[in-house]
Amino acid sequence: MTVFSAPDYDGHEHVSFGHDPETGLRAIIAIHNSNLGPGVGGCRMWPYENDMTALHDALRLSRGMTYKSALAGLPFGGGKSVIIGDARTDKTPALMQAMGRFVESLSGRYIAAEDIGMTVADMDEMATVTDHVTGTSATSGNPSPYTAYGVMRGIEAAVEYKFQRNDGLEDTHVAIQGLGAVGFDLARRLHEKGARLHVADINIEAVQKAVDEFGATPVDTHEIHAVDVDVFAPCALGAVINDTTVNELGAKIIAGSANNQLAEDRHGSALTARDILYAPDYVINAGGIIEIAHGKKFGGDHDDVEIYAHLDGIHDTLSEIFKRAETEGAATNFVADKMAEERFKTTI
Ligand code: NAD
């Protein structure tokens, strides 16, 4: 296996491979950049088909965290860890402690948070052997409502910019793909603002609930991206903007919580060419890491007033990205990357 020539290697500062023979732990910690602070990011447990796929994920995700934290105005660098294994069958308290010792071995250069395959109980187990972990029952709570609020503020920024209106979201039509932890809370918040909702989920109970509670219009999961609305909010899967869907989109704005919404960066340019305004995913969905930053682990007292004030910054950052993109004639995702780099590459 090669690291320095891996496709996702981007000058990463540090990559560690951890193995514990007792528990069978095989894990990777990647720190992309720590100019702004320690690498903070989720620990993901996934049954990767091979070591290279796991490395690819660790490199890609840690780089993403550098950009996300920089634009969220956080004193964090980018880090991420992956455990190779099936969270349903391979996870034991001893394995979590072994991962905790691996995190501890980096002396705080990386701070682990919850991600796919991990629970608050797992983070608690890791915390028995290291202080360099957050997302425990003692440090912070459920990030989804904060993420949903940030997405709603991002939608407001996009609507203001695109339609030159400053009178809120009344009668704005929003199509939400995915009514999970973030999507459903977003639907509630948008409904309270007077928006008209169109919703799709493979979970028909969630759809029915949105119909009953918010008067939402149900849409087929294969057609939600193509509905003729003001805003399409992807809140389920990645790569929803791809060669096929990019020509079928019915919305004037793409703004949702899903990670990695663009199949490739060039799809951002394709959206610009179609005059569709895209709120870059890692900017609009930063609510979770912002909430973590205000938790006890980082000396905060998880004060909601402070957290929501910080989340309001998502609106302002997006407004700046939209303006710069128009001035520079560039796609919003490229402008966001450039703005993040201006922040984390200049501080040593
Ligand atoms: P979730 O698992 O709670 O919800 C996802 C929802 O999408 C589920 O209801 C699921 O049934 C639905 N879904 C799956 N496939 C679908 C399809 N083909 N069509 C329509 N719906 C489908 O996840 P979540 O925590 O709400 O996160 C949603 C997205 O936002 C994910 O991409 C996640 O990575 C991202 N995100 C979440 C947070 C957070 O705080 N939870 C933070 C940042 C980014």
Side-chain angles (χ1 to χ4, degrees):
M1 186 200 304
T2 56
V3 177
F4 296 118
S5 55
D8 292 285
Y9 179 73
D10 176 47
H12 282 67
E13 281 175 18
H14 185 99
V15 183
S16 277
F17 296 82
H19 174 237
D20 177 59
E22 296 276 309
T23 59
L25 175 78
R26 287 182 304 141
I28 303 170
I29 297 175
I31 300 170
H32 173 250
N33 184 288
S34 62
N35 285 350
L36 296 177
V40 181
C43 173
R44 175 171 294 191
M45 184 163 183
W46 191 256
Y48 293 101
E49 55 194 50
N50 57 51
D51 301 354
M52 206 58 208
T53 329
L55 175 66
H56 164 82
D57 224 20
L59 292 174
R60 182 179 64 87
L61 295 167
S62 57
R63 179 181 185 274
M65 289 310 297
T66 302
Y67 284 76
K68 179 180 284 206
S69 287
L71 277 192
L74 298 174
F76 296 163
K80 203 90 181 185
S81 58
V82 299
I83 300 174
I84 301 169
D86 190 329
R88 291 165 305 177
T89 50
D90 301 337
K91 201 160 60 180
T92 62
L95 186 85
M96 290 300 103
Q97 286 181 19
M99 184 63 196
R101 287 192 297 275
F102 181 30
V103 170
E104 176 67 17
S105 73
L106 294 185
S107 310
R109 290 179 66 194
Y110 167 66
I111 297 169
E114 213 183 313
D115 200 271
I116 295 168
M118 301 291 280
T119 64
V120 173
D122 298 328
M123 303 320 283
D124 284 347
E125 200 63 57
M126 285 169 66
T128 61
V129 294
T130 181
D131 281 341
H132 308 304
V133 52
T134 184
T136 62
S137 44
T139 51
S140 50
N142 169 16
S144 304
Y146 300 99
T147 303
Y149 177 80
V151 172
M152 186 197 69
R153 295 294 284 128
I155 289 175
E156 285 174 336
V159 166
E160 284 163 21
Y161 195 82
K162 183 76 184 167
F163 303 123
Q164 295 292 303
R165 57 176 278 198
N166 285 302
D167 57 347
L169 295 175
E170 187 81 34
D171 287 331
T172 302
H173 284 254
V174 184
I176 304 179
Q177 180 184 48
L179 292 166
V182 178
F184 199 86
D185 197 59
L186 175 66
R188 181 182 60 76
R189 290 174 190 275
L190 293 172
H191 173 67
E192 285 165 6
K193 296 261 174 187
R196 307 291 183 90
L197 303 178
H198 308 252
V199 298
D201 197 300
I202 50 173
N203 175 359
I204 49 170
E205 282 164 22
V207 172
Q208 192 54 50
K209 202 159 174 256
V211 171
D212 295 343
E213 293 184 22
F214 314 133
T217 305
V219 180
D220 189 284
T221 52
H222 299 289
E223 287 166 16
I224 188 76
H225 66 280
V227 181
D228 185 11
V229 287
D230 301 304
V231 183
F232 172 45
C235 296
L237 319 160
V240 286
I241 314 295
N242 51 47
D243 284 341
T244 308
T245 59
V246 78
N247 296 312
E248 299 170 350
L249 294 166
K252 323 276 180 309
I253 291 168
I254 312 292
S257 75
N259 280 313
N260 305 313
Q261 291 171 32
L262 304 177
E264 292 174 47
D265 281 346
R266 66 184 169 86
H267 292 113
S269 306
L271 290 175
T272 309
R274 284 204 55 206
D275 202 20
I276 296 171
L277 184 64
Y278 170 61
D281 47 13
Y282 68 80
V283 183
I284 195 170
N285 74 12
I289 188 86
I290 289 173
E291 186 245 348
I292 283 174
H294 286 266
K296 292 196 182 72
K297 169 73 196 148
F298 299 101
D301 50 9
H302 203 269
D303 177 13
D304 262 355
V305 175
E306 288 174 16
I307 299 175
Y308 281 104
H310 198 151
L311 292 170
D312 285 334
I314 290 176
H315 169 285
D316 303 344
T317 304
L318 283 170
S319 302
E320 194 183 337
I321 290 169
F322 298 151
K323 268 189 222 121
R324 270 185 66 165
E326 189 167 352
T327 311
E328 295 174 16
T332 52
N333 54 312
F334 291 112
V335 170
D337 287 356
K338 207 161 108 187
M339 276 171 59
E341 285 161 12
E342 284 163 8
R343 293 187 186 185
F344 75 79
K345 286 194 173 165
T346 50
T347 309
I348 302 288

